[in-house]
């Protein structure tokens, strides 16, 4: 489990194709400092398992399914990524409960700068629309954020907005987001459970 508070921006060192998966090596001196084999690290919102580590870097295997639903397939050597170690029991939960299980991706539609912040509008797929709500939590590229505005239920195309404070702009890759940028999206785990329970309830009464 993670909190969505990025600890550092790392850099992809190499990507090796190993058949039905890829092996990703990422430089991140802070997050790898106390990492061991089998530990979990969030890489731009995707929970990956450390299979090897070297001085200041770690290696993880990424399955094809993960590549298909996230932006990791588009990474290359030198790509920046947001990194966060798994939360310890007893830590303050500064963001919200983040699993590192990406639901899909969204594309930046518009970036509007403010005096010290930026408003970012993103696409919203029909599949994810029921899982986002105004003032609710969402994770973009591993960053815990609050939905500041969202399209009406039947509005097409769907969209949602987040507002990025200076700290987020400076400390994460979202500071470089422009129109057309793709980001990983993880919806709130509570919303997922509610949708599942409602679906099962509807099936039981039909």
């Amino acid at each position: 489990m993670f909190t969505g508070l990025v600890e550092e921006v790392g850099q992809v060192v190499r990507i090796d194709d190993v058949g039905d998966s890829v092996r990703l090596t990422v430089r991140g001196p802070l997050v790898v400092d106390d990492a061991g084999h089998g530990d979990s690290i969030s890489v731009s919102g995707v929970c990956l398992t450390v299979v090897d580590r070297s001085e200041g870097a770690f290696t993880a295997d990424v399955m094809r399914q993960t590549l298909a639903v996230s932006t990791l397939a588009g990474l290359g050597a030198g790509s920046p990524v947001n990194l966060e170690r798994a939360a310890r029991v007893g830590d303050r939960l500064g963001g919200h409960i983040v699993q590192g299980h990406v639901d899909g991706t969204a594309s930046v539609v518009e970036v509007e700068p403010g005096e010290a912040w930026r408003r970012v509008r993103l696409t919203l797929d029909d599949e994810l629309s029921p899982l986002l709500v105004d003032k609710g939590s969402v994770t973009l590229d591993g960053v815990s954020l609050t939905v500041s505005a969202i399209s009406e239920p039947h509005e097409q195309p769907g969209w949602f907005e987040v507002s990025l404070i200076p700290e987020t702009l400076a400390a994460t890759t979202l500071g470089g987001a422009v129109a057309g940028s793709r980001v990983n999206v993880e919806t709130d785990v509570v919303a997922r459970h509610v949708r599942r329970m409602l679906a099962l309830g509807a099936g039981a009464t039909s």
Side-chain angles (χ1 to χ4, degrees), residues 77-117:
S79 295
V81 288
N82 295 321
L83 301 176
E84 181 192 355
R85 290 169 288 190
R88 292 189 179 96
V89 175
D91 279 354
R92 291 184 177 89
L93 188 61
H96 71 283
I97 296 174
V98 177
Q99 294 181 300
H101 302 162
V102 171
D103 293 299
T105 64
S107 295
V108 175
V109 176
E110 179 185 17
V111 178
E112 179 184 332
E115 292 184 5
W117 54 275

Side-chain angles (χ1 to χ4, degrees), residues 130-186:
L131 302 176
L132 293 183
V133 61
D134 189 28
K135 305 303 183 292
S137 296
V138 66
T139 308
L140 301 182
D141 274 357
V143 183
S144 173
L145 297 168
T146 299
V147 176
S148 55
I150 192 167
S151 57
E152 293 298 323
H154 301 295
E155 185 178 345
Q156 290 294 332
W159 55 268
F160 70 100
E161 293 180 353
V162 294
S163 296
L164 307 181
I165 62 174
E167 174 63 20
T168 303
L169 295 171
T172 76
T173 60
L174 296 183
V178 296
S181 297
R182 289 176 64 234
V183 296
N184 294 318
V185 179
E186 180 183 335

Side-chain angles (χ1 to χ4, degrees), residues 18-132:
V18 288
D20 63 346
S21 63
V22 299
R23 181 155 285 190
L24 182 70
T25 300
V26 179
R27 177 166 178 77
L30 176 62
V31 300
V32 82
D33 179 62
D34 61 352
H37 188 278
D39 284 352
S40 295
I41 295 178
S42 172
V43 178
S44 287
V46 180
C47 178
L48 298 180
T49 301
V50 175
V51 297
D52 195 12
R53 58 165 293 182
S54 57
E55 187 64 33
F58 68 93
T59 299
D61 291 322
V62 187
M63 306 307 293
R64 292 292 178 189
Q65 172 64 18
T66 302
L67 295 173
V69 300
S70 74
T71 62
L72 296 192
L75 296 178
S79 295
V81 288
N82 295 321
L83 301 176
E84 181 192 355
R85 290 169 288 190
R88 292 189 179 96
V89 175
D91 279 354
R92 291 184 177 89
L93 188 61
H96 71 283
I97 296 174
V98 177
Q99 294 181 300
H101 302 162
V102 171
D103 293 299
T105 64
S107 295
V108 175
V109 176
E110 179 185 17
V111 178
E112 179 184 332
E115 292 184 5
W117 54 275
R118 289 180 199 162
R119 179 187 61 80
V120 181
R121 178 171 288 199
L122 304 103
T123 57
L124 179 59
D125 290 343
D126 291 342
E127 176 69 18
L128 300 185
S129 183
L131 302 176
L132 293 183

